[in-house]
Amino acid sequence: MKNILIHGLGQNHKSWNETIKFLEIDNIDVLCPALFKMSSGNSNDYQNIFSSFSDFCNNQEGKLNLCGLSLGGILALDYVKKYPEKVNSIIIIGTPYDIPKVLFKIQSMIFHFMPDSQFNDMGCSKKDFITLVNSMSNHNIKNGLDKINCKSLVLCGSKDKANMKSAKQISQSIRKSEFKIVKDSSHEVNVDNPKELAHIIYDFWKEFL
């Protein structure tokens, strides 16, 4: 069995470092793939990133516990829909129920005027980042949520007002889902309150350890 943490859009795999430090106290080993580096040589649109992520997961022995934030949550949801037999549990954090198309279009325009250096920390080029955002504009997240049968936990930061309604909608759509609010955190829960997040993850995963 493997435990996998999946970073969000605008993050990289190092965004989980502080959370991992607290998980290690409870002897929880995790894998944390760098999403943009996984699809090396291919266009970094959503389908290619999902395909590379799926290959990564399918190559792991045994069943998986997945924990994804934002983009990572979308990948986790799509993976469990396609490979339900491979997943023990999912934790979904700050993930939209519907893609905000207008917001994505505005953000894409803004990204064009940002310097390339601001994308370096994410491990991708500005072109790849814009390609990913544009490729997700028509992605249907809510389709098939009612078919998910694994143990599920949906989280949202207490200050993440933009995603609070979405988190509740996702939780209501997944039959075996719990919903929790993570205190003292905004959208990037893994950065804002890694200790509390690690405690919640451990408590949710401990039956599989």
Side-chain angles (χ1 to χ4, degrees):
M1 183 189 67
K2 294 291 176 64
N3 308 308
I4 299 176
L5 303 177
I6 319 155
H7 67 78
L9 186 66
Q11 294 189 333
N12 61 35
H13 64 289
K14 295 179 182 178
S15 302
W16 288 102
N17 283 355
E18 292 302 312
T19 307
I20 290 171
K21 287 179 183 178
F22 290 110
L23 289 172
E24 287 175 343
I25 295 173
D26 292 311
N27 298 311
I28 297 180
D29 294 322
V30 297
L31 299 172
C32 190
L35 297 176
F36 284 105
K37 293 180 179 179
M38 294 176 68
S39 56
S40 178
N42 296 314
S43 170
N44 269 314
D45 62 21
Y46 180 78
Q47 287 304 317
N48 276 326
I49 287 180
F50 176 68
S51 178
S52 298
F53 173 73
S54 296
D55 290 343
F56 171 82
C57 290
N58 290 338
N59 285 330
Q60 307 302 321
E61 292 186 7
K63 287 196 169 186
L64 309 173
N65 294 314
L66 302 177
C67 175
L69 184 147
S70 191
L71 169 64
I74 296 172
L75 288 166
L77 289 171
D78 283 346
Y79 183 81
V80 73
K81 291 174 193 175
K82 189 170 183 179
Y83 303 101
E85 73 287 348
K86 187 70 176 172
V87 181
N88 270 324
S89 70
I90 55 172
I91 300 174
I92 307 300
I93 309 170
T95 299
Y97 183 70
D98 283 302
I99 293 291
K101 295 181 181 180
V102 175
L103 178 60
F104 265 37
K105 288 181 180 179
I106 294 172
Q107 287 179 326
S108 183
M109 292 174 62
I110 294 172
F111 295 147
H112 276 92
F113 295 99
M114 291 170 58
D116 293 350
S117 59
Q118 289 191 236
F119 297 86
N120 293 339
D121 288 342
M122 291 179 277
C124 70
S125 67
K126 178 168 72 172
K127 178 182 177 182
D128 283 341
F129 191 87
I130 293 172
T131 295
L132 173 59
V133 170
N134 289 339
S135 70
M136 295 179 68
S137 62
N138 293 313
H139 190 66
N140 189 326
I141 297 169
K142 58 190 176 184
N143 184 43
L145 291 178
D146 60 331
K147 302 296 193 299
I148 295 175
N149 288 313
C150 68
K151 184 178 180 182
S152 306
L153 174 64
V154 180
L155 304 177
C156 189
S158 59
K159 302 175 185 178
D160 188 6
K161 304 304 181 185
N163 289 292
M164 187 66 70
K165 181 179 178 180
S166 285
K168 292 177 180 178
Q169 288 175 309
I170 290 173
S171 182
Q172 290 167 1
S173 298
I174 300 174
R175 285 179 284 180
K176 297 180 181 179
S177 174
E178 300 176 54
F179 172 73
K180 288 186 178 180
I181 294 173
V182 186
K183 64 183 181 181
D184 301 325
S185 55
S186 188
H187 181 57
E188 294 185 283
V189 177
N190 54 352
V191 175
D192 295 337
N193 197 347
K195 184 176 182 180
E196 177 69 12
L197 177 58
H199 173 75
I200 292 171
I201 291 173
Y202 169 74
D203 193 54
F204 188 71
W205 280 354
K206 62 185 179 183
E207 71 176 85
F208 301 110
L209 303 175

PDB file of all heavy atoms in Angstrom, residues 97-115:
ATOM      1  N   TYR A  97     -15.933  22.309  -7.389  1.00  0.00           N
ATOM      2  CA  TYR A  97     -16.995  21.413  -7.863  1.00  0.00           C
ATOM      3  C   TYR A  97     -17.239  21.649  -9.350  1.00  0.00           C
ATOM      4  O   TYR A  97     -17.516  20.725 -10.111  1.00  0.00           O
ATOM      5  CB  TYR A  97     -18.260  21.681  -7.060  1.00  0.00           C
ATOM      6  CG  TYR A  97     -19.432  20.783  -7.368  1.00  0.00           C
ATOM      7  CD1 TYR A  97     -19.420  19.440  -7.008  1.00  0.00           C
ATOM      8  CD2 TYR A  97     -20.575  21.299  -7.991  1.00  0.00           C
ATOM      9  CE1 TYR A  97     -20.511  18.624  -7.266  1.00  0.00           C
ATOM     10  CE2 TYR A  97     -21.669  20.496  -8.242  1.00  0.00           C
ATOM     11  CZ  TYR A  97     -21.630  19.156  -7.889  1.00  0.00           C
ATOM     12  OH  TYR A  97     -22.710  18.352  -8.149  1.00  0.00           O
ATOM     13  N   ASP A  98     -17.147  22.895  -9.766  1.00  0.00           N
ATOM     14  CA  ASP A  98     -17.234  23.293 -11.169  1.00  0.00           C
ATOM     15  C   ASP A  98     -16.002  24.129 -11.508  1.00  0.00           C
ATOM     16  O   ASP A  98     -15.564  24.941 -10.692  1.00  0.00           O
ATOM     17  CB  ASP A  98     -18.480  24.151 -11.439  1.00  0.00           C
ATOM     18  CG  ASP A  98     -19.745  23.321 -11.522  1.00  0.00           C
ATOM     19  OD1 ASP A  98     -19.790  22.416 -12.364  1.00  0.00           O
ATOM     20  OD2 ASP A  98     -20.676  23.597 -10.742  1.00  0.00           O
ATOM     21  N   ILE A  99     -15.455  23.942 -12.702  1.00  0.00           N
ATOM     22  CA  ILE A  99     -14.353  24.787 -13.148  1.00  0.00           C
ATOM     23  C   ILE A  99     -14.875  26.212 -13.358  1.00  0.00           C
ATOM     24  O   ILE A  99     -15.843  26.417 -14.095  1.00  0.00           O
ATOM     25  CB  ILE A  99     -13.744  24.269 -14.465  1.00  0.00           C
ATOM     26  CG1 ILE A  99     -13.056  22.917 -14.235  1.00  0.00           C
ATOM     27  CG2 ILE A  99     -12.760  25.273 -15.049  1.00  0.00           C
ATOM     28  CD1 ILE A  99     -11.808  22.976 -13.389  1.00  0.00           C
ATOM     29  N   PRO A 100     -14.271  27.211 -12.700  1.00  0.00           N
ATOM     30  CA  PRO A 100     -14.705  28.610 -12.892  1.00  0.00           C
ATOM     31  C   PRO A 100     -14.180  29.139 -14.230  1.00  0.00           C
ATOM     32  O   PRO A 100     -13.110  29.730 -14.303  1.00  0.00           O
ATOM     33  CB  PRO A 100     -14.066  29.327 -11.702  1.00  0.00           C
ATOM     34  CG  PRO A 100     -12.853  28.512 -11.367  1.00  0.00           C
ATOM     35  CD  PRO A 100     -13.209  27.085 -11.698  1.00  0.00           C
ATOM     36  N   LYS A 101     -14.952  28.952 -15.295  1.00  0.00           N
ATOM     37  CA  LYS A 101     -14.472  29.236 -16.644  1.00  0.00           C
ATOM     38  C   LYS A 101     -14.076  30.693 -16.850  1.00  0.00           C
ATOM     39  O   LYS A 101     -13.039  30.989 -17.439  1.00  0.00           O
ATOM     40  CB  LYS A 101     -15.534  28.833 -17.664  1.00  0.00           C
ATOM     41  CG  LYS A 101     -15.819  27.333 -17.705  1.00  0.00           C
ATOM     42  CD  LYS A 101     -16.864  26.994 -18.752  1.00  0.00           C
ATOM     43  CE  LYS A 101     -17.163  25.506 -18.767  1.00  0.00           C
ATOM     44  NZ  LYS A 101     -18.191  25.154 -19.787  1.00  0.00           N
ATOM     45  N   VAL A 102     -14.909  31.604 -16.377  1.00  0.00           N
ATOM     46  CA  VAL A 102     -14.607  33.024 -16.566  1.00  0.00           C
ATOM     47  C   VAL A 102     -13.325  33.394 -15.830  1.00  0.00           C
ATOM     48  O   VAL A 102     -12.451  34.090 -16.372  1.00  0.00           O
ATOM     49  CB  VAL A 102     -15.780  33.902 -16.083  1.00  0.00           C
ATOM     50  CG1 VAL A 102     -15.398  35.376 -16.168  1.00  0.00           C
ATOM     51  CG2 VAL A 102     -17.032  33.620 -16.921  1.00  0.00           C
ATOM     52  N   LEU A 103     -13.191  32.907 -14.601  1.00  0.00           N
ATOM     53  CA  LEU A 103     -11.991  33.184 -13.815  1.00  0.00           C
ATOM     54  C   LEU A 103     -10.754  32.609 -14.494  1.00  0.00           C
ATOM     55  O   LEU A 103      -9.700  33.258 -14.548  1.00  0.00           O
ATOM     56  CB  LEU A 103     -12.136  32.596 -12.412  1.00  0.00           C
ATOM     57  CG  LEU A 103     -10.927  32.760 -11.483  1.00  0.00           C
ATOM     58  CD1 LEU A 103     -10.615  34.241 -11.274  1.00  0.00           C
ATOM     59  CD2 LEU A 103     -11.186  32.068 -10.155  1.00  0.00           C
ATOM     60  N   PHE A 104     -10.873  31.388 -15.034  1.00  0.00           N
ATOM     61  CA  PHE A 104      -9.745  30.765 -15.724  1.00  0.00           C
ATOM     62  C   PHE A 104      -9.311  31.600 -16.924  1.00  0.00           C
ATOM     63  O   PHE A 104      -8.115  31.746 -17.198  1.00  0.00           O
ATOM     64  CB  PHE A 104     -10.112  29.345 -16.166  1.00  0.00           C
ATOM     65  CG  PHE A 104      -9.693  28.287 -15.181  1.00  0.00           C
ATOM     66  CD1 PHE A 104      -9.772  28.520 -13.814  1.00  0.00           C
ATOM     67  CD2 PHE A 104      -9.230  27.057 -15.615  1.00  0.00           C
ATOM     68  CE1 PHE A 104      -9.389  27.548 -12.908  1.00  0.00           C
ATOM     69  CE2 PHE A 104      -8.834  26.087 -14.716  1.00  0.00           C
ATOM     70  CZ  PHE A 104      -8.918  26.325 -13.353  1.00  0.00           C
ATOM     71  N   LYS A 105     -10.269  32.136 -17.661  1.00  0.00           N
ATOM     72  CA  LYS A 105      -9.933  32.951 -18.832  1.00  0.00           C
ATOM     73  C   LYS A 105      -9.219  34.226 -18.427  1.00  0.00           C
ATOM     74  O   LYS A 105      -8.241  34.642 -19.058  1.00  0.00           O
ATOM     75  CB  LYS A 105     -11.204  33.275 -19.621  1.00  0.00           C
ATOM     76  CG  LYS A 105     -11.783  32.084 -20.383  1.00  0.00           C
ATOM     77  CD  LYS A 105     -13.041  32.480 -21.160  1.00  0.00           C
ATOM     78  CE  LYS A 105     -13.609  31.283 -21.911  1.00  0.00           C
ATOM     79  NZ  LYS A 105     -14.852  31.644 -22.656  1.00  0.00           N
ATOM     80  N   ILE A 106      -9.695  34.852 -17.350  1.00  0.00           N
ATOM     81  CA  ILE A 106      -9.056  36.068 -16.855  1.00  0.00           C
ATOM     82  C   ILE A 106      -7.641  35.765 -16.365  1.00  0.00           C
ATOM     83  O   ILE A 106      -6.681  36.490 -16.675  1.00  0.00           O
ATOM     84  CB  ILE A 106      -9.893  36.702 -15.728  1.00  0.00           C
ATOM     85  CG1 ILE A 106     -11.235  37.188 -16.284  1.00  0.00           C
ATOM     86  CG2 ILE A 106      -9.130  37.849 -15.064  1.00  0.00           C
ATOM     87  CD1 ILE A 106     -12.204  37.646 -15.213  1.00  0.00           C
ATOM     88  N   GLN A 107      -7.502  34.655 -15.606  1.00  0.00           N
ATOM     89  CA  GLN A 107      -6.188  34.275 -15.102  1.00  0.00           C
ATOM     90  C   GLN A 107      -5.224  33.971 -16.240  1.00  0.00           C
ATOM     91  O   GLN A 107      -4.049  34.341 -16.186  1.00  0.00           O
ATOM     92  CB  GLN A 107      -6.313  33.055 -14.188  1.00  0.00           C
ATOM     93  CG  GLN A 107      -6.937  33.362 -12.841  1.00  0.00           C
ATOM     94  CD  GLN A 107      -7.066  32.135 -11.971  1.00  0.00           C
ATOM     95  OE1 GLN A 107      -7.297  31.026 -12.452  1.00  0.00           O
ATOM     96  NE2 GLN A 107      -6.924  32.320 -10.675  1.00  0.00           N
ATOM     97  N   SER A 108      -5.715  33.305 -17.276  1.00  0.00           N
ATOM     98  CA  SER A 108      -4.863  32.974 -18.418  1.00  0.00           C
ATOM     99  C   SER A 108      -4.318  34.236 -19.077  1.00  0.00           C
ATOM    100  O   SER A 108      -3.147  34.287 -19.479  1.00  0.00           O
ATOM    101  CB  SER A 108      -5.658  32.148 -19.440  1.00  0.00           C
ATOM    102  OG  SER A 108      -4.836  31.768 -20.523  1.00  0.00           O
ATOM    103  N   MET A 109      -5.149  35.263 -19.167  1.00  0.00           N
ATOM    104  CA  MET A 109      -4.702  36.533 -19.749  1.00  0.00           C
ATOM    105  C   MET A 109      -3.639  37.184 -18.865  1.00  0.00           C
ATOM    106  O   MET A 109      -2.636  37.719 -19.361  1.00  0.00           O
ATOM    107  CB  MET A 109      -5.901  37.472 -19.917  1.00  0.00           C
ATOM    108  CG  MET A 109      -6.908  37.019 -20.965  1.00  0.00           C
ATOM    109  SD  MET A 109      -8.395  38.068 -20.998  1.00  0.00           S
ATOM    110  CE  MET A 109      -7.676  39.640 -21.444  1.00  0.00           C
ATOM    111  N   ILE A 110      -3.854  37.113 -17.554  1.00  0.00           N
ATOM    112  CA  ILE A 110      -2.893  37.702 -16.618  1.00  0.00           C
ATOM    113  C   ILE A 110      -1.555  36.964 -16.690  1.00  0.00           C
ATOM    114  O   ILE A 110      -0.486  37.595 -16.678  1.00  0.00           O
ATOM    115  CB  ILE A 110      -3.451  37.666 -15.185  1.00  0.00           C
ATOM    116  CG1 ILE A 110      -4.674  38.585 -15.072  1.00  0.00           C
ATOM    117  CG2 ILE A 110      -2.384  38.067 -14.166  1.00  0.00           C
ATOM    118  CD1 ILE A 110      -5.417  38.469 -13.755  1.00  0.00           C
ATOM    119  N   PHE A 111      -1.619  35.620 -16.790  1.00  0.00           N
ATOM    120  CA  PHE A 111      -0.394  34.821 -16.831  1.00  0.00           C
ATOM    121  C   PHE A 111       0.501  35.205 -18.007  1.00  0.00           C
ATOM    122  O   PHE A 111       1.726  35.135 -17.913  1.00  0.00           O
ATOM    123  CB  PHE A 111      -0.726  33.324 -16.911  1.00  0.00           C
ATOM    124  CG  PHE A 111      -1.425  32.778 -15.694  1.00  0.00           C
ATOM    125  CD1 PHE A 111      -2.361  31.761 -15.819  1.00  0.00           C
ATOM    126  CD2 PHE A 111      -1.162  33.281 -14.425  1.00  0.00           C
ATOM    127  CE1 PHE A 111      -3.005  31.254 -14.705  1.00  0.00           C
ATOM    128  CE2 PHE A 111      -1.809  32.780 -13.308  1.00  0.00           C
ATOM    129  CZ  PHE A 111      -2.726  31.764 -13.452  1.00  0.00           C
ATOM    130  N   HIS A 112      -0.108  35.603 -19.128  1.00  0.00           N
ATOM    131  CA  HIS A 112       0.667  35.974 -20.316  1.00  0.00           C
ATOM    132  C   HIS A 112       1.601  37.153 -20.035  1.00  0.00           C
ATOM    133  O   HIS A 112       2.653  37.278 -20.670  1.00  0.00           O
ATOM    134  CB  HIS A 112      -0.270  36.325 -21.479  1.00  0.00           C
ATOM    135  CG  HIS A 112      -0.737  35.141 -22.260  1.00  0.00           C
ATOM    136  ND1 HIS A 112      -1.910  34.478 -21.966  1.00  0.00           N
ATOM    137  CD2 HIS A 112      -0.183  34.475 -23.319  1.00  0.00           C
ATOM    138  CE1 HIS A 112      -2.074  33.480 -22.810  1.00  0.00           C
ATOM    139  NE2 HIS A 112      -1.048  33.450 -23.636  1.00  0.00           N
ATOM    140  N   PHE A 113       1.221  38.013 -19.104  1.00  0.00           N
ATOM    141  CA  PHE A 113       2.007  39.209 -18.822  1.00  0.00           C
ATOM    142  C   PHE A 113       2.958  39.035 -17.635  1.00  0.00           C
ATOM    143  O   PHE A 113       3.731  39.938 -17.333  1.00  0.00           O
ATOM    144  CB  PHE A 113       1.065  40.392 -18.561  1.00  0.00           C
ATOM    145  CG  PHE A 113       0.253  40.780 -19.764  1.00  0.00           C
ATOM    146  CD1 PHE A 113      -1.063  40.354 -19.899  1.00  0.00           C
ATOM    147  CD2 PHE A 113       0.808  41.536 -20.786  1.00  0.00           C
ATOM    148  CE1 PHE A 113      -1.823  40.701 -21.011  1.00  0.00           C
ATOM    149  CE2 PHE A 113       0.060  41.893 -21.901  1.00  0.00           C
ATOM    150  CZ  PHE A 113      -1.250  41.470 -22.023  1.00  0.00           C
ATOM    151  N   MET A 114       2.914  37.886 -17.001  1.00  0.00           N
ATOM    152  CA  MET A 114       3.813  37.622 -15.872  1.00  0.00           C
ATOM    153  C   MET A 114       5.168  37.154 -16.382  1.00  0.00           C
ATOM    154  O   MET A 114       5.245  36.454 -17.389  1.00  0.00           O
ATOM    155  CB  MET A 114       3.196  36.569 -14.942  1.00  0.00           C
ATOM    156  CG  MET A 114       1.969  37.050 -14.194  1.00  0.00           C
ATOM    157  SD  MET A 114       1.081  35.722 -13.322  1.00  0.00           S
ATOM    158  CE  MET A 114       2.364  35.074 -12.248  1.00  0.00           C
ATOM    159  N   PRO A 115       6.267  37.514 -15.711  1.00  0.00           N
ATOM    160  CA  PRO A 115       7.595  37.059 -16.144  1.00  0.00           C
ATOM    161  C   PRO A 115       7.770  35.559 -15.967  1.00  0.00           C
ATOM    162  O   PRO A 115       7.185  34.951 -15.059  1.00  0.00           O
ATOM    163  CB  PRO A 115       8.547  37.835 -15.226  1.00  0.00           C
ATOM    164  CG  PRO A 115       7.722  38.180 -14.024  1.00  0.00           C
ATOM    165  CD  PRO A 115       6.323  38.388 -14.522  1.00  0.00           C
TER     166      PRO A 115
END
